[in-house]
Amino acid sequence: NLMVLRHESEKLGIRPTDSEVVDVIHNLPAFRGPSGFDLKKYDEFVQNALSPNGMGEAQIEGVVRDDLAVKRLRQLLAIGVSVPESVSKANFDEAYGKLSVRAIRLRGADVDKEIKITDEDIQKYFETHKAEYKSEEKRKIDFVVLALTEEQKKLAGKERIDQLQKLSDRANDFGQALLEKGADFKTTAAKFQLPVGSTGEFTAAAADPQLKDAPQAASMAFKLTMQEPISDPVQVADGFYILQLSGIVESRPLTLEEAKPKIVDALKRSRSRELLSTKGAEIAHQLREALKSSPSLDAAIKKAGVKAEKIPPFSLMDEPKVKPDEKADKKDPPDLVAIKNISSRLEPGEVSEFMPWEDGGLITTLEKREPPDPATYTQSKSSFDERYLTNKQQVVFFEWLRDRQRDAGLISSEPETGGPPPPKKS
């Protein structure tokens, strides 16, 4: 994308000036102080964050220059993009109108009793999925830790960075010593007066307890090989780890008995989904049929023999009503997002398809849709129009970018099915 954007910017004559770049840098929040641009903050960032990684001021300027160019391209492409008032009003009404919905919830427990797994089922599944069932590879490592003291952990800003830099230098010295011919990990650690820790065997999913606070180190253990068993310094929050791979227990195929618990779980999940989907489709059909001959929604629900919960009226744009730590009876339903998604396109009296959701699924029926109240229209219409226009402009930008990628031979000329989806009307 960056190559395409730079090429197109050059072709269109979009070249941010040095003064424009400097002006943006001077206004970046990270480099601002009480009196404006703070040169000290800028220098500290360059020296402490960029320089150790082989970068400098040129990288900051390059990022800003690219960002300015992209913004200019977006502005050019946005010319002529507009939203007719009739379209905007229809989408606003859909987004902010109040929906009265009934929800029918199905849960895995509703069908679990119908699921029977036989030994024959397990054997057959194992034979067709045997390659998927393997034991987890295990690793064992020796390690040293160069960490801040408890007092140093309380430091902040430059003082903390200085202490971490000293640890980094010492970790690099230790790493260099390990590269010497015939160097031994434990002997070298002793010369540097660094205690060596050793883990038991652990998997990628469950790290050794000694590494519970250093997931970066646990992850690095599975990148080492017996040919290159020693890691570079691995930075964690308060210091550095250096690892030596001391053993590997290779992954192996599981026997049927070892794989049996996982197979049973897989079969239960699969059959539960199938049964829920079938049952959900049947209920949706029954409710639709009942609605054809019933005088009211309540009568149709009763005739279909289902239990439907009346959801408090909501709009698609409603924010959560309360914070997660407040009383449960004041919270929105935990599946309200799913209810909104499957109800948004329904017309009054329509029944949705069954939608799988967490451990079960949902069917909804829309009782009525009311227009937004006038106060909401006055307060929110302007910002809604702005967001909607921005979304349309974004779609135009990504379509243009795909066209440029296609022209450059970077993607197939076949019709695209991926990429950023168009924004929802709401």
Side-chain angles (χ1 to χ4, degrees), residues 166-202:
K166 290 178 182 178
L167 290 178
S168 175
D169 292 342
R170 192 164 181 234
N172 286 326
D173 290 343
F174 177 62
Q176 289 297 316
L178 290 172
L179 296 176
E180 295 178 7
K181 187 175 181 180
D184 175 77
F185 190 84
K186 293 182 178 179
T187 303
T188 305
K191 290 180 182 178
F192 278 76
Q193 298 182 333
L194 295 171
V196 177
S198 297
T199 69
E201 294 171 352
F202 63 94

Side-chain angles (χ1 to χ4, degrees), residues 31 110 138 165 190 222 226:
F31 305 142
D110 298 335
K138 296 181 180 180
Q165 185 62 55
F222 286 83
M226 297 308 291

Side-chain angles (χ1 to χ4, degrees), residues 135-141 199-206 218 221-222 224 226 245-252:
S135 66
E136 292 186 82
E137 180 182 306
K138 296 181 180 180
R139 294 289 176 104
K140 185 177 180 180
I141 61 168
T199 69
E201 294 171 352
F202 63 94
T203 66
F222 286 83
L224 301 176
M226 297 308 291
L245 180 63
S246 58
I248 299 177
V249 177
E250 299 287 354
S251 173
R252 62 171 178 79

Side-chain angles (χ1 to χ4, degrees), residues 92-106:
F92 183 88
D93 288 349
E94 184 176 320
Y96 284 93
K98 288 291 183 181
L99 279 64
S100 295
V101 169
R102 304 289 183 95
I104 301 165
R105 295 183 174 91
L106 281 73

Side-chain angles (χ1 to χ4, degrees), residues 69-275:
V70 170
K71 287 175 178 175
R72 299 263 177 86
L73 281 169
R74 286 179 178 270
Q75 289 170 354
L76 282 173
L77 292 166
I79 295 173
V81 178
S82 62
V83 181
E85 176 57 25
S86 59
V87 174
S88 174
K89 177 67 165 58
N91 280 278
F92 183 88
D93 288 349
E94 184 176 320
Y96 284 93
K98 288 291 183 181
L99 279 64
S100 295
V101 169
R102 304 289 183 95
I104 301 165
R105 295 183 174 91
L106 281 73
R107 295 178 174 83
D110 298 335
V111 299
D112 283 351
K113 59 181 177 293
E114 301 176 33
I115 299 173
K116 306 294 181 185
I117 308 295
T118 66
D119 288 341
E120 184 180 352
D121 295 331
I122 295 171
Q123 179 70 44
K124 185 176 179 180
Y125 189 92
F126 181 69
E127 291 300 326
T128 56
H129 296 80
K130 190 180 296 185
E132 300 172 16
Y133 290 98
K134 295 181 179 180
S135 66
E136 292 186 82
E137 180 182 306
K138 296 181 180 180
R139 294 289 176 104
K140 185 177 180 180
I141 61 168
D142 298 323
F143 63 92
V144 299
V145 185
L146 296 92
L148 298 175
T149 64
E150 291 302 317
E151 286 299 314
Q152 290 171 339
K153 290 177 183 179
K154 300 175 184 177
L155 299 175
K158 189 174 185 304
E159 290 181 333
R160 179 183 175 86
I161 291 173
D162 288 343
Q163 294 300 324
L164 284 171
Q165 185 62 55
K166 290 178 182 178
L167 290 178
S168 175
D169 292 342
R170 192 164 181 234
N172 286 326
D173 290 343
F174 177 62
Q176 289 297 316
L178 290 172
L179 296 176
E180 295 178 7
K181 187 175 181 180
D184 175 77
F185 190 84
K186 293 182 178 179
T187 303
T188 305
K191 290 180 182 178
F192 278 76
Q193 298 182 333
L194 295 171
V196 177
S198 297
T199 69
E201 294 171 352
F202 63 94
T203 66
D208 186 275
Q210 297 178 79
L211 303 177
K212 65 179 181 179
D213 296 325
Q216 304 95 322
S219 175
M220 176 58 70
F222 286 83
K223 298 177 183 178
L224 301 176
T225 66
M226 297 308 291
Q227 291 71 39
E228 296 185 9
I230 298 174
S231 75
D232 292 329
V234 179
Q235 185 168 3
V236 295
D238 297 314
F240 298 86
Y241 278 70
I242 298 177
L243 320 176
Q244 174 181 254
L245 180 63
S246 58
I248 299 177
V249 177
E250 299 287 354
S251 173
R252 62 171 178 79
L254 296 179
T255 64
L256 174 60
E257 284 303 311
E258 290 172 328
K260 187 173 181 178
K262 293 182 178 180
I263 293 174
V264 170
D265 286 343
L267 286 170
K268 282 184 176 179
R269 286 196 303 271
S270 175
R271 293 186 183 180
S272 178
R273 286 194 298 268
E274 291 173 4
L275 286 170

Side-chain angles (χ1 to χ4, degrees), residues 106 108 273 276 334-335 355-361:
L106 281 73
R273 286 194 298 268
L276 283 169
D335 52 4
M355 176 183 177
W357 180 257
E358 295 185 354
D359 182 28

